[in-house]
Amino acid sequence: NQMASQLKLLVKEQEIEAQREKLKADITLNIRKSLRIEDIYKTAVREIRQALKTDRVVVYEFNPETWDGKVNAGFPKMMGAYIEDPCFRERQVKMYKNGRVRAISNIYEDAGLKKAACYVKMLEQFAVQANLVAPILVEDNLMGLLIAHNCESPREWQQQEIDLFKQLAIQVGFAVEQAKLLEKVDKARVVAQSDSEEERQQKEELQ
């Protein structure tokens, strides 16, 4: 009986893992379909919010000179909000550059936030009670953060949710990298066409 119940548990775990992998693959495919950075963000925010069943998902895009940034995405609206966060500059940039993922289940009880009143105050403005934060890296540069907010109540983030969130943030970084590369190719093509047209005109003038 014990062996049978262990086997059932194992099969159930494998089914859940297979569902999670399919979910990750589906979201990744939808994110990578987009060829514009703005569309990538919109798709990622929508899909990840549904997958995690959370109140808000945002992309926080940095100004790399100041490490302040703006948000691209019922509760206080964050779309387009400009946020200055001195706590982040002082303590967090290096850790996120190294791939840190942070899960906070309750902003008022998290030991790491006891000395970060400015960060808690900033989260309060947007009714955040729990959050999940992962870096968006493009060519090993910290370009922004993928952030999930729970606003209705605190939330114990499960390890599977944290792992999925981290992997999807990596995929967003790859998609943005691809979009930037396409932008460069398009610009190069436009310049090449312009040069070609100029050369043609010069030839006509010479003739």
Side-chain angles (χ1 to χ4, degrees), residues 144-157:
L145 299 173
L146 184 65
I147 307 172
H149 287 159
N150 226 63
C151 303
E152 287 276 12
S153 61
R155 173 171 175 168
E156 275 303 329
W157 301 101

Side-chain angles (χ1 to χ4, degrees), residues 50-69:
Q50 287 173 357
L52 290 181
K53 296 180 176 59
T54 193
D55 298 312
R56 184 196 292 125
V57 171
V58 299
V59 170
Y60 182 66
E61 193 174 14
F62 290 121
N63 173 348
E65 292 177 12
T66 61
W67 295 107
D68 301 330

Side-chain angles (χ1 to χ4, degrees), residues 122-138:
M122 188 268 292
L123 291 175
E124 283 176 335
Q125 290 177 49
F126 300 104
V128 178
Q129 295 202 47
N131 73 354
L132 195 53
V133 185
I136 298 173
L137 299 167
V138 177

Side-chain angles (χ1 to χ4, degrees), residues 29-71:
L29 184 64
N30 289 333
I31 290 170
R32 298 295 285 271
K33 274 181 190 172
S34 306
L35 300 177
R36 290 171 61 244
I37 292 172
E38 191 180 331
D39 292 338
I40 291 166
Y41 290 157
K42 282 180 182 174
T43 304
V45 164
R46 183 184 67 248
E47 299 272 343
I48 295 168
R49 182 176 169 273
Q50 287 173 357
L52 290 181
K53 296 180 176 59
T54 193
D55 298 312
R56 184 196 292 125
V57 171
V58 299
V59 170
Y60 182 66
E61 193 174 14
F62 290 121
N63 173 348
E65 292 177 12
T66 61
W67 295 107
D68 301 330
K70 67 173 182 175
V71 177

